[in-house]
Amino acid sequence: MLQKIHTIFPKSSVERVYAAILSRRRREVNSLSEKDSQIVDTLRHEGTCITSLNDLSFPANSRLLDATNRILTKTKSENGKTFPLRVGKRQIVTEYPEIFLWGLEERLLCIIESYFGYPAAFLGVSHRVEVPDGQQTGTRLWHLDGEDHCMIRVIVYLTDVGIEGGPFEYIPRSIRPTQAPLHRLYCQIFDQEKFDRIYRKISDADMQNMVPSKYWIPCTGVQGTVVFTDTANVFHRGKVPQPNHPARSALFFTYTSRHPKRLKLSKQVFPEELLLLMADRFTQRQRECVLAWR
């Protein structure tokens, strides 16, 4: 009977391509090392996994470190204090392309696509420097990211980050079912009418009423610490960096599906004209991750 149905309604070329993609993803999932599989499992249970460049041992690590070491030599002075200089996206492409290409490392893509279960889009990378001013504004407030239903940010610390130095902080996925107020907020935040009102506007006091601070997990670590996190599904923020502590310097690599929920917002992560400057350096798979979905 099933054969007759397929004879009457043969698979379209799109279905055949999709089936081939799923088959490739299954092979990649099965081929993950035990260490890489542990990252995927931790993401699924907790929403965040902390590791390091040393533990990942990607072939591209040495080139990334060469680039970031050059970045760390650039500083600026403000109010008598010295801070790392933030590197813009055009500079990343023209002066430090190794940083962007690290985000397309083959094993890294396999980890992310194994977590997603479908092909990933690489939206780009940004360099962020958190000045220790003690102010809770912007992404230092609790929020969910809105580019897609499921997304990954890979954060690489370029400096040591202590508890008062502005570490990435999150609420584990595992506690969500037991926290009714937080569960309702998860539901509300994906309501289009309420999204703008709630997005990036959850103070510590409001979050404390829903989830006690003992459940908030700060991701502290030394230079080279790497944080994998699904920022669309775990509440998170940059913990407020306190005065008299070194500024946090970090790279943020962003991944979504190739059909992100908010396409315009996703495209704004990295300008397409800059991506085209690097197009001749991409493999076919990397081109699909970076350009094809646009």
Side-chain angles (χ1 to χ4, degrees), residues 5 16 47 70 89 97 103 108 111 122 133 150 160 214 217 219 263 273:
I5 291 174
R16 288 195 295 272
R70 298 201 309 273
K89 294 171 183 176
L108 178 58
I111 291 169
F122 178 39
D133 55 11
C150 186
D160 295 350
K214 67 180 181 180
I217 309 289
C219 298
L263 180 61
E273 61 268 22

Side-chain angles (χ1 to χ4, degrees), residues 16 26 37 53 60 64 66 72-73 125 144 152 154 156 164 182 188 197 204 213 220 236 238 250 268-269 271 289:
R16 288 195 295 272
R26 292 190 189 101
S37 295
L53 289 175
L64 174 71
D66 286 343
L72 292 174
T73 64
V125 57
L144 294 175
I152 289 291
V154 178
V156 180
E164 295 189 337
L182 186 60
Q188 291 173 346
R197 178 170 61 83
D204 280 3
S213 57
T220 58
H236 64 280
Q268 290 173 356
V269 171
C289 288

Side-chain angles (χ1 to χ4, degrees), residues 68-116:
T68 56
N69 285 337
R70 298 201 309 273
I71 287 176
L72 292 174
T73 64
K74 301 178 182 294
T75 59
K76 67 174 182 177
S77 295
E78 187 175 308
N79 298 323
K81 298 180 181 179
T82 300
F83 302 109
L85 188 66
R86 188 183 70 83
V87 173
K89 294 171 183 176
R90 179 171 291 277
Q91 282 180 283
I92 288 176
V93 169
T94 59
E95 299 179 37
Y96 310 100
E98 304 88 351
I99 292 175
F100 191 95
L101 293 172
W102 186 89
L104 292 167
E105 171 69 33
E106 187 72 15
R107 267 183 55 215
L108 178 58
L109 293 178
C110 287
I111 291 169
I112 291 165
E113 292 187 343
S114 295
Y115 173 71
F116 284 165

